[in-house]
Amino acid sequence: MNDKALIRATAVTKCYPNGTQALKGVDLQVSRGEVVCIIGPSGSGKSTLLRTLNAMESITSGEVMVDGVSVHARSTDLNRLRTQVGMVFQQFNLFPHMTALENVMLAPMRVSKRPLDEARSRAEKLLQKVGLADKAHVHPGQLSGGQQQRVAIARALAMQPTIMLFDEPTSALDPEMVGEVLEVMKDLAREGMTMCVVTHEMGFARAVAHRVIFMDGGQIQHEAPPQPFFDAPSHDRLRAFLGQVLK
Amino acid sequence: MKQDRSRGFWYGVYALVLVGLVAGIWGMSVRVHYDWNWRDVPQYLVSTSGQELLAPFDAYVTITPDGKTLSLTEYGGERSASYTDFEQAYAESGDLVFRDDLLAYQAGLRPGILLIGLWMTLKLSAVSLVFALLFGLVAGLGRVADNPAARQLSSNYVELIRGTPLLVQIFIVYFFIGTVLQLSAFTAGVVALAVFTGAYIAEIIRSGIESVPRGQMEASRSLGMSYAQAMRYVVLPQALKKTLPSLAGQFINLIKDSSLVSVMALTDLTKAGREIISSNFRPFEVWFTVALMYLALTGTLSYLVRRLEKRLAHE
């Protein structure tokens, strides 16, 4: 298992200048094609951990390796690394001054220097994949939250990443739109994409994850495959947390 | 219905106040025995005295007896020239004229000194604006940069310029920097206005950049874009669109501020007004005319900007 690890975080700590410790020595390994869901109460450090994986957040000590590259080493070309690691945000963060299609095309054209035609046809295919081919020429402001998040997923996929990070992708959505986004994510998982998902959607975690991680107080408290994780939680704090969210 | 009547009443009040103001100005001028004479003003806008005809080289003048043809024979040279399209000759037959001497006035209209001044004001403001935008963009980006040198320098620039009067800056640029670097009055004016306006534009651009949600930069960086690419393709387009009204306001300020360069040897609209007054002693008419011309310029501009804003809002 260790040999196949695409992501390997070792003893990662993160201290903010004001003294709060967001991460207190976290070890995490994710294999190629594995789907890992990270759950936990707010402030537990789960989003911070996710964001250290593509250096959107710096770390205080420890090491993060992604596909054999040390993410936080000074010599690492972060822009290049990030093309391999797609990220989807809670607030979508689509570019409001561009159409859905232009949102998806921007990075392939400007970062990978793909020609216009190639970028466009790939973007069209991706929008079709997330079920939004008919919204290609619409600006984000005219899309629903669920549609915006699906465009954001297409945008991240446009760089053909090997890993996808999801930071609470459905938390800012109205309940009736959660399903359409989770459907797209399930498709991705089925295709064998390596995924790290910070989520509050226990149903999704149970159905799709290969492994579920419970974080609290900046540490990983418990990790297990979904079946034992949810059906027989062996950990006290996890039991209390699940009791709260599943109530 | 009742509301209509009260609105009508207040429009009446408005009209009364305006009439009162005009009457007040007129009354004051009567008290100082001011003798209004608007008929003198149009010639400063459009001059009817026609284009000047200047000698192209040193020459002897010959004018035919009917006074319709003026010929030149070069002094100590081979060239000659003759003119027929003029109104009134200022040279006489047998005169020796030198290059650029006035020979005659040609028929037709030419812009008066106020229009020439207006054109100078416009040119000065437009050229200054281009450089002000450049300075403002660089300093604005510096203000939000991570690099301490860029941040400190931009911040010092903004503080220094905003903390000192424009007139003093113009004197420093014209008399000190202008003398050392041998700048023309126009260049010195552009430098002073661009540096001054650039500091204000820097603040506008900084606030525009800061008004774009952080997530925009994060999403761009997560896709592998560099900081510069994210700024150029994602953050700045949004920031500039948001700050367009303030930028336009700053351009209008620039036009008005440009009147201060009239302290240098540069005939802008304000200087043109002062020159006219020193020859005809009609300050009231001339300053009102000059003010109206500035108003026409800034009014047109703000109208254009409002239209542009509407177009952008549609997109």
Side-chain angles (χ1 to χ4, degrees), chain A residues 51 54 56 79 82-83 85 87 89 93-98 106-107 110-111 113 139 155-156 159, chain B residues 213-227 229 232-235 237-238 241 315:
Chain A
R51 290 162 58 85
N54 63 346
M56 297 304 286
N79 295 334
R82 283 174 180 152
T83 62
V85 186
M87 190 166 210
F89 300 86
N93 296 343
L94 288 182
F95 308 137
H97 58 304
M98 299 178 184
L106 181 69
R110 299 303 178 188
V111 179
K113 312 287 183 205
H139 280 82
R155 179 177 69 178
M159 296 304 285
Chain B
R214 278 179 57 92
Q216 294 289 308
M217 177 57 88
E218 285 194 348
S220 312
R221 298 305 303 274
S222 81
L223 288 164
M225 281 187 234
S226 65
Y227 179 83
Q229 283 174 325
R232 176 164 165 210
Y233 298 115
V234 176
V235 177
Q238 296 180 56
K241 194 170 155 183
E315 279 171 12

Side-chain angles (χ1 to χ4, degrees), chain B residues 10-299:
Chain B
W10 287 111
Y11 274 117
V13 169
Y14 166 68
L16 267 176
V17 169
L18 284 191
V19 169
L21 279 174
V22 173
I25 290 170
W26 184 76
M28 279 189 283
S29 71
V30 167
R31 270 187 58 185
V32 296
H33 304 290
Y34 191 79
D35 172 24
W36 291 92
N37 185 356
W38 285 98
R39 269 175 307 176
D40 276 359
V41 173
Q43 62 168 321
Y44 299 116
L45 290 169
V46 179
S47 166
T48 50
S49 63
Q51 203 74 252
E52 290 172 341
L53 184 60
L54 302 178
F57 42 78
D58 302 349
Y60 284 110
V61 178
T62 330
I63 298 177
T64 53
D66 61 1
K68 290 230 161 78
T69 313
L70 187 154
S71 314
L72 298 177
T73 322
E74 187 170 14
Y75 172 76
E78 304 287 296
R79 285 182 287 177
S80 64
S82 83
Y83 305 92
T84 52
D85 53 338
F86 60 90
E87 289 259 283
Q88 191 192 355
Y90 269 68
E92 285 177 22
S93 257
D95 279 359
L96 172 61
V97 294
F98 296 101
R99 215 180 114 195
D100 289 342
D101 276 355
L102 178 65
L103 297 173
Y105 278 113
Q106 288 174 318
L109 305 176
R110 67 191 166 97
I113 182 168
L114 282 181
L115 275 192
I116 294 173
L118 182 73
W119 173 239
M120 173 57 84
T121 289
L122 204 58
K123 206 164 61 175
L124 191 67
S125 308
V127 176
S128 304
L129 178 74
V130 173
F131 286 102
L133 281 173
L134 202 72
F135 294 163
L137 188 61
V138 171
L141 286 171
R143 292 275 276 164
V144 297
D146 247 358
N147 183 310
R151 218 174 43 226
Q152 283 303 326
L153 281 172
S154 326
S155 151
N156 290 348
Y157 162 59
V158 170
E159 297 297 324
L160 193 72
I161 296 298
R162 297 209 306 178
T164 53
L166 174 57
L167 191 56
V168 174
Q169 292 169 23
I170 288 174
F171 283 136
I172 292 175
V173 169
Y174 187 48
F175 290 114
F176 175 64
I177 302 173
T179 311
V180 173
L181 298 179
Q182 303 273 307
L183 299 182
S184 71
F186 184 80
T187 316
V190 166
V191 169
L193 287 173
V195 168
F196 177 77
T197 306
Y200 287 85
I201 290 182
E203 281 303 276
I204 293 172
I205 288 183
R206 178 188 62 82
S207 75
I209 290 173
E210 284 174 354
S211 77
V212 176
R214 278 179 57 92
Q216 294 289 308
M217 177 57 88
E218 285 194 348
S220 312
R221 298 305 303 274
S222 81
L223 288 164
M225 281 187 234
S226 65
Y227 179 83
Q229 283 174 325
M231 266 293 165
R232 176 164 165 210
Y233 298 115
V234 176
V235 177
L236 272 183
Q238 296 180 56
L240 291 182
K241 194 170 155 183
K242 280 186 196 177
T243 55
L244 192 67
S246 327
L247 285 176
Q250 202 54 51
F251 185 39
I252 287 169
N253 280 342
L254 171 61
I255 289 178
K256 294 184 292 178
D257 292 338
S258 76
S259 69
L260 285 176
V261 301
S262 65
V263 298
M264 310 190 301
L266 200 61
T267 306
D268 73 323
L269 185 49
T270 303
K271 182 80 181 301
R274 282 199 351 225
E275 281 175 11
I276 294 168
I277 291 161
S278 64
S279 70
N280 75 355
F281 305 108
R282 301 223 157 273
F284 286 22
E285 293 91 334
V286 172
W287 284 132
F288 277 122
T289 309
V290 166
L292 276 177
M293 289 171 79
Y294 275 113
L295 197 62
L297 206 58
T298 53

Side-chain angles (χ1 to χ4, degrees), chain A residues 29-61:
Chain A
Q29 286 178 19
V30 182
S31 316
R32 200 175 287 276
E34 195 180 17
V35 177
V36 173
C37 282
I38 306 171
I39 65 169
S42 62
S44 61
K46 54 194 193 305
S47 280
T48 309
L49 173 62
L50 193 76
R51 290 162 58 85
T52 62
L53 301 183
N54 63 346
M56 297 304 286
E57 202 84 61
S58 65
I59 61 175
T60 309
S61 68

Side-chain angles (χ1 to χ4, degrees), chain A residues 2 5-6 39 66 87 94 96 107 113 118 134 156 158 162 167 169 203 224 237 241 245-247:
Chain A
N2 279 1
L6 195 55
I39 65 169
V66 168
M87 190 166 210
L94 288 182
K113 312 287 183 205
E118 187 191 324
D134 54 327
T162 45
D167 191 0
R237 257 188 283 179
F241 175 71
V245 282
L246 296 176
K247 197 160 54 182

